[in-house]
Amino acid sequence: MSKPQLEPRFAHPKYWGVWLGISTMFCLSLLPYRLQLWLGAKLGRLAMKLMKSRRKVAQQNLALCFPELSDAVRADMLKQNFENTGIALFEICMAWFWPDWRVRRHFIVEGKEHLFNALNGGKGVILIGAHFLTLEMNGRIGGMVHPGIGIYRKHNNPLQDFWFYWGRTRALKNLLDRSDFRGMVRALRQGEVIWYAPDHDYGNRRCAFVPFFAVEKAATVTGTSALARTKNTVVIPSFAQRLPKGQGYKMIFKAPLENYPTGDDIADAATTNKVIEDMVRSAPEQYMWLHRRFKTRPEGEASLYKK
């Protein structure tokens, strides 16, 4: 896809709201890191009170995925999740506008030898990730470890699209639309690194209903195994975890998946879900529970979300 460009038409008053938002983001990025975390947590608590429908979705997701936990434990997890959601908004400002030297002060890397062993062996790499609330910092930090290619959804507003592309390519080489399967395969054949997150519910096309946490039939895209069939490609689980007490972030790279893909899309989808589940269990309060992860059901089965 072509790179979005800054155009003269963006001076039109209909774009002034976007410019105001971007200017505010830049100003917020200048604040001390711990102050941004504190403000983000406060904003998240406010959002928990105001965003009632999203709160219900998150509550239901936690109840579906962690039935073994008590109501009190899940309620505390919900509160932490909204605090982390507020922090994530400030992390967009950090990821887009912080200079490299400031980012480097706030992260450590674990397991990068898995990534570089694959690259040194001439492999294309799929970094299988998930929609953690640290998503934007994940892209910035991961790109600083090794610049790769991100997958994203193009925005309808062209000025917003420009800024999302600009912000996310501060450290990445390029972004590909999530529907550009051929572009992904071409990049892998060229030995590139692609970040790919198959954990959202994208409907019943090209999906398998396989377990995710305690939900036995979660609609899961089969695109990961399809991409992994690209010659000379490995799949490495990777995610960024926010550390406690304002200590920054840990960028984690796991060992490549073995015997993957198997050729069985259903079994492979179950494998990717288990990989993502293990990631989420390490920091469940940092996962995007506000998304209706289980909205698509097998034909004839009732919705898991109350209206």
Side-chain angles (χ1 to χ4, degrees):
M1 60 174 283
S2 60
K3 179 179 178 180
Q5 300 293 323
L6 198 59
E7 303 175 31
R9 63 180 172 132
F10 295 152
H12 192 279
K14 72 177 181 180
Y15 295 110
W16 288 359
V18 177
W19 285 114
L20 176 61
I22 292 297
S23 300
T24 301
M25 289 172 62
F26 173 74
C27 292
L28 291 174
S29 75
L30 301 175
L31 296 175
Y33 176 61
R34 289 174 184 259
L35 177 57
Q36 292 190 61
L37 296 183
W38 183 82
L39 290 171
K42 292 290 187 182
L43 180 62
R45 289 174 204 160
L46 177 62
M48 184 175 173
K49 295 178 181 179
L50 299 178
M51 300 171 63
K52 295 181 180 179
S53 62
R54 287 294 177 180
R55 185 178 69 220
K56 289 180 180 178
V57 169
Q59 284 175 322
Q60 180 66 350
N61 281 335
L62 292 173
L64 290 168
C65 292
F66 300 101
E68 74 280 8
L69 299 181
S70 67
D71 291 344
V73 171
R74 287 200 300 267
D76 184 61
M77 190 182 295
L78 179 70
K79 177 185 173 184
Q80 292 182 53
N81 188 239
F82 268 90
E83 290 176 347
N84 279 279
T85 300
I87 291 171
L89 297 177
F90 281 83
E91 286 174 342
I92 299 175
C93 309
M94 302 175 200
W96 290 10
F97 295 109
W98 275 9
D100 285 353
W101 64 264
R102 192 174 181 189
V103 178
R104 288 195 183 96
R105 290 172 53 186
H106 293 281
F107 76 86
I108 58 175
V109 183
E110 176 183 290
K112 65 180 178 181
E113 66 274 8
H114 300 303
L115 172 63
F116 287 105
N117 286 343
L119 291 172
N120 291 337
K123 305 285 187 181
V125 177
I126 301 170
L127 293 179
I128 179 174
H131 286 82
F132 280 91
L133 295 165
T134 54
L135 188 65
E136 296 296 331
M137 290 301 288
N138 184 111
R140 182 71 188 275
I141 295 169
M144 291 176 68
V145 175
H146 180 83
I149 295 173
I151 309 301
Y152 90 129
R153 179 181 65 82
K154 187 177 178 66
H155 285 262
N156 294 327
N157 183 302
L159 182 56
Q160 283 185 321
D161 192 55
F162 168 82
W163 281 109
F164 266 87
Y165 192 99
W166 180 88
R168 290 178 173 178
T169 53
R170 288 292 304 275
L172 299 176
K173 287 184 177 181
N174 189 15
L175 296 180
L176 292 175
D177 189 274
R178 67 186 187 188
S179 64
D180 188 4
F181 187 81
R182 288 184 179 181
M184 298 178 208
V185 171
R186 184 166 54 251
L188 291 170
R189 286 175 177 169
Q190 295 170 351
E192 295 286 2
V193 176
I194 285 180
W195 184 86
Y196 188 78
D199 59 317
H200 270 190
D201 184 337
Y202 295 115
N204 55 16
R205 290 185 67 249
R206 298 177 183 174
C207 84
F209 288 96
V210 293
F212 186 57
F213 285 91
V215 179
E216 289 298 317
K217 299 177 183 178
T220 304
V221 296
T222 56
T224 315
S225 56
L227 274 178
R229 285 195 282 271
T230 304
K231 186 178 180 180
N232 216 27
T233 294
V234 296
V235 179
I236 295 177
S238 176
F239 63 105
Q241 187 176 106
R242 190 182 303 114
L243 299 173
K245 299 180 181 179
Q247 298 177 75
Y249 306 86
K250 181 192 290 185
M251 189 73 212
I252 300 170
F253 298 92
K254 298 288 188 179
L257 300 187
E258 297 182 358
N259 303 316
Y260 185 94
T262 63
D264 182 335
D265 284 347
I266 295 177
D268 290 342
T271 296
T272 59
N273 271 5
K274 184 61 173 66
V275 168
I276 291 168
E277 181 180 328
D278 289 343
M279 293 181 190
V280 175
R281 286 188 182 278
S282 69
E285 73 285 354
Q286 296 179 28
Y287 188 62
M288 196 180 292
W289 294 113
L290 278 68
H291 168 70
R292 287 163 57 94
R293 175 61 183 88
F294 310 107
K295 63 184 177 183
T296 302
R297 307 303 304 144
E299 187 174 355
E301 291 199 11
S303 172
L304 296 178
Y305 299 96
K306 298 178 181 177
K307 293 183 179 180

